[in-house]
Amino acid sequence: MTAPLTLDGLTIAPAQVWRGVRLVPLLRDAPMVGLRLGVRPASTPYAVVDRLPDDPRALYVSYIPHGLVARWTDDGSEPALGTRLAEDPRELARGCVRLEHRLVRSEGTRTVRMLPLHVAVEGLLAVGFKPPTLRWDAFTTQFRRHGLIERSEPFVVGRAVTDLEEALRVFELHPRQCGVLVFVADVLFAALVVPDPRDYADLHVALLEDLYADLILRHASLPALGAWNDLHLDESRVADLASLRREVERARASWASFHLGMADDLVGRPLVRQELYRLGRWRLERFRTDMSPDAGNHIGEVITDEHGRVAHLHTTRLSAAQARRAWLLSRLVSVAWSLDAFAAQEGRSVDDVVRLLDDAGLAWILRPELLHAAGRTPVRGPR
Amino acid sequence: MTTHDDRAAQVTREDLLLFASVCLAATSQREFHTPVHVARSETPWRDDTPTSALDFVHAYVLGNYRRLYARMLAIRINDHNRQRIVAGLLASGAACPAEDRAEEGALIRHALRHLPTHRALEVFKLLQRERVNNRRSRAALRAWLDHRGASSFVALKYGPRLRAAVRHAHVRLPDEVAAWLFQSRARRTWQDPLLATAWRARFSQEALYELPFTLAEGYAARRGIPRDRFLARIAPRMTEHERLRLAASAAEHGVDLGVDLEHVPLTRLALVWLALDADARDARREAFRAGLVAAAARVAERAPRWRRVGLVLDRSWSTSGSVERRRRPLAVALGVWFLAHALADEVVVRWSLPVDDPLDVDARGPTDLTGPLLDVLEAAPDVVVVVSDGFDNAPRGGASAVVGAYRRRVDPAGQVRFVHVNPVFDASQLGPHALGPDLPLVGVRDAEDLPAALAFAGAATSPAGLAALDAYLSRAAARACAALSAPAEAS
């Protein structure tokens, strides 16, 4: 389950830039038949999702502005979409928090309701959630008994980024557009791919309601990208109109590799994948990158067909702090929570590891004397 | 020393071309890429001044090129800028050199005459707000009222504004009109037929239908007359413009106003067409096509002809305009399509997204001008006109790169002329948004402005252009002054 992500079947079109935001359209020559995605607006943006599949005790509470409905057919015909979307009785229940049962939930035959990105976020939060099975002295009793108890990760809603809102408003959709890569200050923050251009037209504005790492606020406040020329012609090769046309074709061909290069911390990177659901011949998976501190890290969910082609992709970037926390926890899990083994693998002292955990906001799981020994102040309870 | 003079002349030229573009395109309204707070009240470089970008441009040109500023009134600029120029000139009369005084006064009278009534009154309201009250501004109101005649209609339709203007400038109105505005209206008999009818319309529905539509509408609403009955009976009292504007809503009430498309201006007709829904389009397609062709032919009569022209027209999503200027950039592109076919012997057209029948255009897709430009250049035209809001994004800067490479490598002799015509004002740039340094830019408001805009762009881009520009404006000013003194002119 480590196959890297590819954007085969999608054409990269020239970017549209508004101040610091660069939106790169992804086009399909023909829509993927047999699967459609639609938006279902929610009555309130906050939701409690109970009964997580990994841990029956766990409760997932989050900002969830809308749901996605996926509908598919087995014979490759067009799925009907949009007829039943507003009739869900739970939508009528008003309140400050609504209750959703499961992140991915079947709604009748060949229809699934998903809460966008939360499959991925839940995967992130679930890393190291369960308590260690061995009784290590390094950890507090509370952590040994109950595990992390609660884990939260902060995200920013897209609407908080003024330039993103404006960039999405003035963005001009391509007729065959099925996706977009969102860069802010030339850092990839999100990717969205859907099977059909009509789905994209609906979901374009929903990018505003999505979750972004808080890093996006700092990047959005950087100076706007300069107004430069995206078509770099080598005029020495131009002698007449035909050669000018050839030169334009050559310059056009270079965009794709350029923008793919800008997205290299997501595309082509080894992934940790986990299959969640089968939608006929399609497969819903969550994935995350390896959380290496040297590159940008992304989490996301993807629906692929039996050939591994991407029908739906929805990702968000993690901030460096989020990635470091996830990296630390996943490494600790991989060594069965042994601080000594972890320190040995990293070629560091145990005190260094304690300091790493403290910096990541996880000091409360360690016994106070370890922290004292590492020169840090103990804290009570999760921060 | 020559370089210094050259540079000064170049700055002057650029300033004037910018100002001409502003006068043709800027309306202080919100645009697709310009939110309202930028369009109206914020300068892009300083937040503490409550003036708009447009205010700055006007103050700058008024201070530095006063004669040219006044002469702009003689050419086809839009009404919003005409208003601003008149108000600016009247507010700073002392700065006017003695030898220009007569011409400036004549141009102000000419401009006020050609403004719609409510906009002329808006000028006087502006003067009142700025506390400007001098002999010249009072004379301007008197001259305007004298020329306008029928002040009873103005008093009925624009009562509060006229009252404020007259009070501010101490101008005498005809006795009855003054009485209507300033005294109790009860227990009077009105000699003026319009005032008499308006008075009777308060008591009689029959009298209401003798009023012009624009006055009767308010009375009808106050009396609660059903809209369909009102429209059907008032139809003969409508002007052509009112008929056109209300045709769609009247049709909803089952009333056919019998619109005559023959005399509607080009861009307005294009706007009406683009606002129609699919059914209405199917029913009236050929009528509109004939109307557009006729409107374009009327404009073409007064303009120099072209030989071979290449058109690159933008129909991207951004040409849908804004809430305040819905679909105007697209309407201008459509108007230019018809105008070019009326003006030129041979036309090659490419839209940013291909369309078979120009009447089928809608605002869709990205702005790809690169491919269309290459296609148009294949036909070896004399002039290439690009109509776009200046935000080409598929790819960014593609149009400028292609034109630059073509001019430098393929056509160094400059046999093909390029012009970028932009119907959209970008407040953050103090002018229309340019496609790039290699495409001369000129702003327009209507497709009808195209010949004037091309003349302007030609003058401003040539090195000897300043003199030509000056001559062009002074000829236009002389024509305007002559028309003013000729008694035959009625409207």
Side-chain angles (χ1 to χ4, degrees), chain A residues 35-51:
Chain A
L35 180 71
R36 291 288 306 274
L37 288 173
V39 196
R40 172 188 292 167
S43 52
T44 74
Y46 296 94
V48 175
V49 185
D50 66 354
R51 287 197 293 151

Side-chain angles (χ1 to χ4, degrees), chain B residues 384-463:
Chain B
V384 174
V385 179
V386 182
V387 183
S388 167
D389 57 8
F391 289 85
D392 64 336
N393 53 24
R396 253 188 340 155
S400 181
V402 165
V403 172
Y406 186 83
R407 281 166 65 151
R408 280 186 289 274
R409 305 289 305 180
V410 184
D411 180 29
Q415 291 183 337
V416 182
R417 245 183 89 200
F418 291 89
V419 185
H420 169 207
V421 175
N422 192 336
V424 177
F425 180 74
D426 183 1
S428 66
Q429 303 217 350
L430 294 183
H433 196 276
L435 279 171
D438 291 309
L439 266 159
L441 163 73
V442 60
V444 296
R445 179 177 145 76
D446 294 323
E448 293 93 309
D449 301 339
L450 187 63
L454 290 187
F456 229 101
T461 45
S462 72

Side-chain angles (χ1 to χ4, degrees), chain A residues 283-298:
Chain A
R283 203 160 60 180
L284 170 64
E285 291 170 309
R286 74 162 69 120
F287 67 83
R288 55 188 163 92
T289 52
D290 56 9
M291 299 296 152
S292 137
D294 305 329
N297 283 290
H298 298 259

Side-chain angles (χ1 to χ4, degrees), chain B residues 159-403:
Chain B
R161 279 194 192 180
L162 181 64
R163 193 183 295 131
V166 164
R167 201 177 258 158
H168 182 62
H170 307 288
V171 173
R172 278 193 81 81
L173 288 171
D175 285 347
E176 275 209 311
V177 177
W180 181 275
L181 285 181
F182 294 106
Q183 294 169 15
S184 163
R185 292 171 200 167
R187 290 193 298 281
R188 276 190 78 107
T189 49
W190 303 94
Q191 301 303 314
D192 183 291
L194 199 59
L195 292 181
T197 317
W199 185 249
R200 274 196 296 124
R202 303 190 162 205
F203 313 106
S204 137
Q205 284 206 19
E206 287 308 308
L208 193 148
Y209 293 112
E210 293 166 24
L211 287 170
F213 165 77
T214 172
L215 297 178
E217 197 177 23
Y219 285 105
R222 229 175 293 165
R223 302 177 72 117
I225 300 175
R227 187 78 175 160
D228 50 347
R229 181 140 53 93
F230 172 67
L231 282 174
R233 283 201 62 187
I234 200 71
R237 304 284 294 157
M238 284 184 179
T239 64
E240 281 304 322
H241 185 179
E242 284 161 352
R243 251 180 251 278
L244 186 68
R245 181 159 55 83
L246 289 164
S249 83
E252 280 173 24
H253 292 285
V255 179
D256 180 16
L257 296 178
V259 182
D260 176 18
L261 296 179
E262 285 297 304
H263 302 288
V264 186
L266 183 59
T267 310
R268 183 178 302 283
L269 196 55
L271 276 168
V272 173
W273 167 255
L274 291 173
L276 294 182
D277 58 18
D279 291 343
R281 282 188 179 198
D282 287 345
R284 311 184 58 194
R285 177 174 295 256
E286 292 316 313
F288 268 89
R289 197 191 303 275
L292 284 162
V293 167
R298 282 199 304 278
V299 180
E301 274 170 19
R302 306 189 298 270
R305 283 195 67 79
W306 303 339
R307 221 160 53 78
R308 289 156 72 88
V309 60
L311 279 187
V312 175
L313 304 177
D314 182 1
R315 56 167 292 204
S316 64
W317 168 235
S318 61
T319 60
S320 58
S322 67
V323 176
E324 288 177 321
R325 312 186 78 197
R326 197 158 276 173
R327 287 181 286 267
R328 178 166 279 272
L330 188 61
V332 170
L334 186 59
V336 166
W337 191 96
F338 281 96
L339 185 56
H341 282 80
L343 272 176
D345 301 328
E346 206 180 320
V347 187
V348 189
V349 189
R350 289 290 181 279
W351 292 88
S352 60
L353 200 67
V355 61
D356 291 334
D357 183 347
L359 290 183
D360 285 332
V361 288
D362 54 356
R364 249 156 58 82
T367 313
D368 176 12
L369 303 177
T370 318
L373 259 173
L374 287 169
D375 290 347
V376 158
L377 285 171
E378 293 280 358
D382 303 324
V383 57
V384 174
V385 179
V386 182
V387 183
S388 167
D389 57 8
F391 289 85
D392 64 336
N393 53 24
R396 253 188 340 155
S400 181
V402 165
V403 172

Side-chain angles (χ1 to χ4, degrees), chain B residues 456-473:
Chain B
F456 229 101
T461 45
S462 72
L466 192 57
L469 200 67
D470 210 13
Y472 174 77
L473 281 177

Side-chain angles (χ1 to χ4, degrees), chain A residues 5 115 175 212 278 280 348 376:
Chain A
L5 198 68
L115 303 178
Y212 298 89
R278 287 265 182 178
R348 294 175 168 198
R376 296 293 172 99

Side-chain angles (χ1 to χ4, degrees), chain A residues 14-18 169-174 226-231 233 235-236 238-241 244-245 248 252 255, chain B residues 32-33 35 316-318 365-368 370-371 374-375 377-378 393-398 401-402 405-406 408-410:
Chain A
Q16 299 187 20
V17 177
W18 182 258
R169 185 182 71 79
V170 302
F171 183 85
E172 300 181 328
L173 264 70
H174 288 252
W228 80 79
N229 183 347
D230 274 352
L231 192 73
L233 301 180
E235 293 191 5
S236 65
V238 177
D240 53 11
L241 202 52
L244 176 59
R245 198 182 273 275
V248 169
R252 272 178 190 270
W255 295 321
Chain B
F32 184 82
H33 290 97
S316 64
W317 168 235
S318 61
T367 313
D368 176 12
T370 318
L374 287 169
D375 290 347
L377 285 171
E378 293 280 358
N393 53 24
R396 253 188 340 155
V402 165
Y406 186 83
R408 280 186 289 274
R409 305 289 305 180
V410 184

